[in-house]
CSV table of all heavy atoms in Angstrom, one decimal:
chain,number,residue,atom,x,y,z
J,1,MET,N,-83.1,-20.9,96.7
J,1,MET,CA,-82.1,-20.4,97.7
J,1,MET,C,-82.6,-19.2,98.3
J,1,MET,O,-83.3,-18.3,97.7
J,1,MET,CB,-80.8,-20.2,97.1
J,1,MET,CG,-80.1,-21.4,96.5
J,1,MET,SD,-78.3,-21.3,96.2
J,1,MET,CE,-77.6,-22.0,97.7
J,2,VAL,N,-82.2,-18.9,99.5
J,2,VAL,CA,-82.6,-17.8,100.2
J,2,VAL,C,-81.4,-17.2,100.9
J,2,VAL,O,-80.4,-17.8,101.2
J,2,VAL,CB,-83.6,-18.0,101.4
J,2,VAL,CG1,-85.0,-18.5,100.8
J,2,VAL,CG2,-83.1,-19.1,102.3
J,3,GLU,N,-81.3,-15.9,101.2
J,3,GLU,CA,-80.3,-15.2,101.8
J,3,GLU,C,-80.2,-15.4,103.3
J,3,GLU,O,-81.2,-15.2,104.0
J,3,GLU,CB,-80.4,-13.7,101.5
J,3,GLU,CG,-79.2,-12.9,102.1
J,3,GLU,CD,-79.3,-11.4,101.7
J,3,GLU,OE1,-79.3,-11.0,100.6
J,3,GLU,OE2,-79.2,-10.7,102.7
J,4,LEU,N,-79.1,-15.9,103.8
J,4,LEU,CA,-78.9,-16.2,105.2
J,4,LEU,C,-78.4,-14.9,105.8
J,4,LEU,O,-78.9,-14.5,106.9
J,4,LEU,CB,-77.9,-17.2,105.4
J,4,LEU,CG,-77.5,-17.5,106.9
J,4,LEU,CD1,-78.8,-17.9,107.8
J,4,LEU,CD2,-76.5,-18.6,107.0
J,5,VAL,N,-77.4,-14.3,105.2
J,5,VAL,CA,-76.8,-13.1,105.8
J,5,VAL,C,-76.0,-12.2,104.6
J,5,VAL,O,-75.7,-12.9,103.7
J,5,VAL,CB,-75.7,-13.4,107.0
J,5,VAL,CG1,-74.5,-14.2,106.4
J,5,VAL,CG2,-75.5,-12.2,107.7
J,6,SER,N,-75.9,-11.0,104.8
J,6,SER,CA,-75.2,-10.2,104.0
J,6,SER,C,-74.2,-9.4,104.8
J,6,SER,O,-74.5,-8.8,105.8
J,6,SER,CB,-76.2,-9.2,103.3
J,6,SER,OG,-75.5,-8.1,102.5
J,7,THR,N,-73.0,-9.5,104.3
J,7,THR,CA,-71.8,-8.9,105.2
J,7,THR,C,-70.7,-8.4,104.3
J,7,THR,O,-70.5,-8.9,103.1
J,7,THR,CB,-71.3,-10.0,106.2
J,7,THR,OG1,-70.3,-9.4,107.0
J,7,THR,CG2,-70.8,-11.2,105.5
J,8,ASP,N,-70.0,-7.5,104.9
J,8,ASP,CA,-68.7,-7.1,104.3
J,8,ASP,C,-67.6,-7.4,105.1
J,8,ASP,O,-66.4,-7.0,104.9
J,8,ASP,CB,-68.8,-5.5,104.0
J,8,ASP,CG,-69.0,-4.7,105.2
J,8,ASP,OD1,-69.2,-5.3,106.3
J,8,ASP,OD2,-68.9,-3.5,105.1
J,9,ASP,N,-67.8,-8.3,106.1
J,9,ASP,CA,-66.7,-8.8,107.0
J,9,ASP,C,-66.2,-10.1,106.5
J,9,ASP,O,-66.8,-11.1,106.7
J,9,ASP,CB,-67.4,-9.0,108.4
J,9,ASP,CG,-66.4,-9.4,109.5
J,9,ASP,OD1,-65.2,-9.8,109.1
J,9,ASP,OD2,-66.7,-9.4,110.6
J,10,PRO,N,-64.9,-10.1,105.9
J,10,PRO,CA,-64.4,-11.4,105.4
J,10,PRO,C,-64.1,-12.4,106.5
J,10,PRO,O,-64.2,-13.6,106.2
J,10,PRO,CB,-63.1,-10.9,104.8
J,10,PRO,CG,-62.8,-9.5,105.4
J,10,PRO,CD,-64.1,-8.9,105.8
J,11,VAL,N,-64.0,-12.0,107.7
J,11,VAL,CA,-63.7,-13.0,108.8
J,11,VAL,C,-65.0,-13.7,109.1
J,11,VAL,O,-65.1,-14.9,109.2
J,11,VAL,CB,-63.1,-12.3,110.0
J,11,VAL,CG1,-63.0,-13.2,111.2
J,11,VAL,CG2,-61.8,-11.7,109.7
J,12,LEU,N,-66.1,-13.0,109.3
J,12,LEU,CA,-67.4,-13.6,109.5
J,12,LEU,C,-67.7,-14.5,108.4
J,12,LEU,O,-68.3,-15.6,108.6
J,12,LEU,CB,-68.4,-12.5,109.7
J,12,LEU,CG,-69.8,-13.1,109.8
J,12,LEU,CD1,-70.0,-13.9,111.0
J,12,LEU,CD2,-70.8,-11.9,109.8
J,13,LEU,N,-67.5,-14.0,107.2
J,13,LEU,CA,-67.9,-14.8,105.9
J,13,LEU,C,-67.1,-16.1,105.9
J,13,LEU,O,-67.7,-17.2,105.7
J,13,LEU,CB,-67.5,-14.0,104.7
J,13,LEU,CG,-67.9,-14.6,103.4
J,13,LEU,CD1,-69.4,-14.8,103.3
J,13,LEU,CD2,-67.4,-13.7,102.2
J,14,SER,N,-65.8,-16.1,106.2
J,14,SER,CA,-64.9,-17.2,106.2
J,14,SER,C,-65.5,-18.3,107.3
J,14,SER,O,-65.6,-19.4,107.1
J,14,SER,CB,-63.5,-16.9,106.4
J,14,SER,OG,-62.7,-18.1,106.5
J,15,TRP,N,-65.6,-17.7,108.5
J,15,TRP,CA,-66.1,-18.5,109.6
J,15,TRP,C,-67.4,-19.2,109.4
J,15,TRP,O,-67.6,-20.4,109.6
J,15,TRP,CB,-66.1,-17.6,110.9
J,15,TRP,CG,-66.7,-18.4,112.1
J,15,TRP,CD1,-66.0,-19.2,112.9
J,15,TRP,CD2,-68.0,-18.5,112.5
J,15,TRP,NE1,-66.8,-19.7,113.9
J,15,TRP,CE2,-68.1,-19.3,113.6
J,15,TRP,CE3,-69.2,-18.0,112.0
J,15,TRP,CZ2,-69.3,-19.7,114.3
J,15,TRP,CZ3,-70.4,-18.2,112.7
J,15,TRP,CH2,-70.4,-19.1,113.8
J,16,LEU,N,-68.4,-18.3,108.8
J,16,LEU,CA,-69.7,-18.9,108.6
J,16,LEU,C,-69.7,-20.0,107.5
J,16,LEU,O,-70.3,-21.1,107.7
J,16,LEU,CB,-70.6,-17.8,108.2
J,16,LEU,CG,-72.0,-18.2,107.8
J,16,LEU,CD1,-72.8,-18.9,109.1
J,16,LEU,CD2,-72.8,-16.9,107.5
J,17,MET,N,-68.9,-19.8,106.5
J,17,MET,CA,-68.8,-20.8,105.4
J,17,MET,C,-68.2,-22.2,106.0
J,17,MET,O,-68.7,-23.2,105.8
J,17,MET,CB,-68.0,-20.3,104.2
J,17,MET,CG,-68.8,-19.2,103.5
J,17,MET,SD,-70.5,-19.7,103.0
J,17,MET,CE,-70.0,-20.9,101.6
J,18,ALA,N,-67.2,-22.0,106.9
J,18,ALA,CA,-66.6,-23.2,107.6
J,18,ALA,C,-67.6,-23.9,108.4
J,18,ALA,O,-67.7,-25.2,108.4
J,18,ALA,CB,-65.4,-22.8,108.3
J,19,GLN,N,-68.4,-23.3,109.2
J,19,GLN,CA,-69.4,-23.7,110.1
J,19,GLN,C,-70.5,-24.4,109.4
J,19,GLN,O,-71.1,-25.5,109.7
J,19,GLN,CB,-70.0,-22.6,111.0
J,19,GLN,CG,-69.1,-22.0,112.0
J,19,GLN,CD,-68.6,-23.1,113.0
J,19,GLN,OE1,-69.3,-23.8,113.6
J,19,GLN,NE2,-67.3,-23.1,113.1
J,20,LEU,N,-71.0,-23.8,108.3
J,20,LEU,CA,-72.0,-24.3,107.4
J,20,LEU,C,-71.5,-25.6,106.7
J,20,LEU,O,-72.2,-26.7,106.7
J,20,LEU,CB,-72.5,-23.5,106.3
J,20,LEU,CG,-73.2,-22.2,106.9
J,20,LEU,CD1,-73.5,-21.2,105.8
J,20,LEU,CD2,-74.5,-22.6,107.6
J,21,ALA,N,-70.3,-25.7,106.3
J,21,ALA,CA,-69.7,-26.9,105.7
J,21,ALA,C,-69.6,-27.9,106.8
J,21,ALA,O,-69.9,-29.2,106.5
J,21,ALA,CB,-68.3,-26.6,105.2
J,22,ASP,N,-69.1,-27.7,108.0
J,22,ASP,CA,-69.1,-28.6,109.1
J,22,ASP,C,-70.5,-29.2,109.4
J,22,ASP,O,-70.5,-30.4,109.8
J,22,ASP,CB,-68.5,-28.1,110.3
J,22,ASP,CG,-67.0,-27.8,110.3
J,22,ASP,OD1,-66.4,-28.3,109.4
J,22,ASP,OD2,-66.5,-27.2,111.2
J,23,ALA,N,-71.4,-28.4,109.3
J,23,ALA,CA,-72.9,-28.9,109.5
J,23,ALA,C,-73.5,-29.6,108.3
J,23,ALA,O,-74.7,-30.0,108.4
J,23,ALA,CB,-73.7,-27.7,110.0
J,24,GLU,N,-72.7,-29.7,107.3
J,24,GLU,CA,-73.1,-30.3,106.0
J,24,GLU,C,-74.4,-29.5,105.3
J,24,GLU,O,-75.3,-30.1,104.8
J,24,GLU,CB,-73.4,-31.8,106.1
J,24,GLU,CG,-72.2,-32.5,106.5
J,24,GLU,CD,-72.5,-34.0,106.7
J,24,GLU,OE1,-73.6,-34.5,106.5
J,24,GLU,OE2,-71.5,-34.7,107.0
J,25,ILE,N,-74.3,-28.2,105.5
J,25,ILE,CA,-75.3,-27.3,104.9
J,25,ILE,C,-74.7,-26.7,103.7
J,25,ILE,O,-73.7,-26.0,103.8
J,25,ILE,CB,-75.8,-26.2,106.0
J,25,ILE,CG1,-76.4,-26.9,107.1
J,25,ILE,CG2,-76.8,-25.1,105.2
J,25,ILE,CD1,-76.8,-25.9,108.3
J,26,GLY,N,-75.3,-26.9,102.6
J,26,GLY,CA,-74.8,-26.4,101.3
J,26,GLY,C,-75.1,-24.8,101.3
J,26,GLY,O,-76.1,-24.3,101.6
J,27,ALA,N,-74.0,-24.1,101.0
J,27,ALA,CA,-74.1,-22.6,100.9
J,27,ALA,C,-73.3,-22.0,99.8
J,27,ALA,O,-72.2,-22.6,99.4
J,27,ALA,CB,-73.6,-22.0,102.2
J,28,VAL,N,-73.7,-20.9,99.3
J,28,VAL,CA,-73.0,-20.2,98.1
J,28,VAL,C,-72.9,-18.8,98.5
J,28,VAL,O,-73.8,-18.2,99.1
J,28,VAL,CB,-73.9,-20.4,96.8
J,28,VAL,CG1,-73.2,-19.7,95.7
J,28,VAL,CG2,-74.0,-21.8,96.4
J,29,VAL,N,-71.7,-18.3,98.2
J,29,VAL,CA,-71.4,-16.8,98.5
J,29,VAL,C,-71.7,-16.1,97.1
J,29,VAL,O,-71.0,-16.3,96.2
J,29,VAL,CB,-70.1,-16.6,99.0
J,29,VAL,CG1,-69.8,-15.1,99.2
J,29,VAL,CG2,-69.9,-17.3,100.2
J,30,PHE,N,-72.6,-15.1,97.2
J,30,PHE,CA,-72.8,-14.2,96.0
J,30,PHE,C,-72.2,-12.9,96.2
J,30,PHE,O,-72.1,-12.4,97.3
J,30,PHE,CB,-74.4,-14.0,95.8
J,30,PHE,CG,-75.2,-15.1,95.3
J,30,PHE,CD1,-74.7,-16.3,95.1
J,30,PHE,CD2,-76.5,-15.0,95.2
J,30,PHE,CE1,-75.5,-17.4,94.6
J,30,PHE,CE2,-77.3,-15.9,94.7
J,30,PHE,CZ,-76.8,-17.2,94.3
J,31,ASP,N,-71.6,-12.3,95.2
J,31,ASP,CA,-71.1,-10.9,95.2
J,31,ASP,C,-69.7,-10.8,95.7
J,31,ASP,O,-69.2,-9.7,96.0
J,31,ASP,CB,-72.1,-9.9,95.8
J,31,ASP,CG,-73.4,-9.9,95.1
J,31,ASP,OD1,-73.5,-10.2,94.0
J,31,ASP,OD2,-74.5,-9.8,95.9
J,32,SER,N,-69.1,-11.9,96.0
J,32,SER,CA,-67.8,-11.8,96.8
J,32,SER,C,-66.7,-11.3,95.7
J,32,SER,O,-65.9,-10.5,96.2
J,32,SER,CB,-67.3,-13.2,97.2
J,32,SER,OG,-67.0,-14.1,96.1
J,33,HIS,N,-66.8,-11.4,94.5
J,33,HIS,CA,-65.9,-10.9,93.5
J,33,HIS,C,-66.1,-9.3,93.4
J,33,HIS,O,-65.1,-8.7,93.3
J,33,HIS,CB,-65.9,-11.6,92.2
J,33,HIS,CG,-65.7,-13.0,92.2
J,33,HIS,ND1,-64.3,-13.5,92.5
J,33,HIS,CD2,-66.3,-14.1,92.1
J,33,HIS,CE1,-64.3,-14.8,92.6
J,33,HIS,NE2,-65.5,-15.2,92.3
Side-chain angles (χ1 to χ4, degrees):
M1 294 200 100
V2 295
E3 181 179 303
L4 173 63
V5 69
S6 175
T7 183
D8 60 351
D9 182 349
V11 175
L12 174 62
L13 185 63
S14 176
W15 176 86
L16 180 56
M17 292 303 290
Q19 293 298 311
L20 293 172
D22 284 348
E24 297 182 358
I25 296 173
V28 178
V29 178
F30 286 0
D31 305 322
S32 63
H33 297 294

